[in-house]
Amino acid sequence: MLWSGCSDDSSSDSKEQIACDLEQTCPEYGIFYDCENEEDAIAGNFENCTMSYPACTDTYYCEDDVTCFQSTNDETKTFDCRDEKDKKTIYTEDEFKSKYYVESERIH
C-alpha cells in the first residue's frame, strides 16, 4: 500500500490538443470609405466619410477534419467550426485554445 499514492493517473483527464493549420486571407486593398453622400465618394472627397478596414479571414484546418473560421465581434473572438458532416460548433477563444493549437501559419 506504500506505493499506491504514486500511481497518479490524472493524465487521462487532459486530452491531447489537436493541431491546426492557420490560413489567413487578407483583402488586397485595406480601406473602405462609408460616405453619407455618395457623390463625395465618387469625387474622392473623403472628409465626411468614415473609414473602415476589412478584417482578415482566419481559417483553421484541424487534424480532426474540423474547419474553423475565426470572427471577432465587439473584441470577442469566436470560432465557428464545422466537421466533415457539416456539424456546427461554436467555441469561445478559451474553449478553442484548450482543444486546438496552431501548428503552422500561412498568410495570403
Side-chain angles (χ1 to χ4, degrees):
M1 282 308 270
L2 192 63
W3 297 102
S4 65
C6 293
S7 64
D8 186 3
D9 195 15
S10 63
S11 62
S12 61
D13 293 342
S14 65
K15 292 182 179 171
E16 287 287 314
Q17 284 185 298
I18 299 161
C20 301
D21 285 333
L22 167 61
E23 187 169 289
Q24 191 175 62
T25 308
C26 297
E28 195 70 33
Y29 300 101
I31 302 174
F32 291 133
Y33 291 99
D34 184 24
C35 304
E36 287 179 30
N37 185 345
E38 191 64 33
E39 289 160 15
D40 285 342
I42 294 167
N45 177 11
F46 299 120
E47 286 176 27
N48 299 323
C49 305
T50 54
M51 285 190 307
S52 62
Y53 299 93
C56 296
T57 305
D58 290 351
T59 308
Y60 296 85
Y61 298 97
C62 302
E63 288 184 351
D64 58 353
D65 292 325
V66 170
T67 303
C68 299
F69 302 95
Q70 177 184 316
S71 60
T72 305
N73 189 3
D74 295 332
E75 304 297 314
T76 305
K77 286 183 185 172
T78 54
F79 295 83
D80 178 352
C81 301
R82 295 171 197 275
D83 67 12
E84 70 275 11
K85 297 182 182 74
D86 210 31
K87 180 176 167 278
K88 183 175 171 177
T89 309
I90 300 214
Y91 294 107
T92 65
E93 186 175 11
D94 289 341
E95 289 169 338
F96 182 83
K97 286 183 175 175
S98 71
K99 184 167 183 172
Y100 298 103
Y101 70 94
V102 177
E103 195 166 64
S104 64
E105 294 187 30
R106 291 183 302 239
I107 298 177
H108 295 283

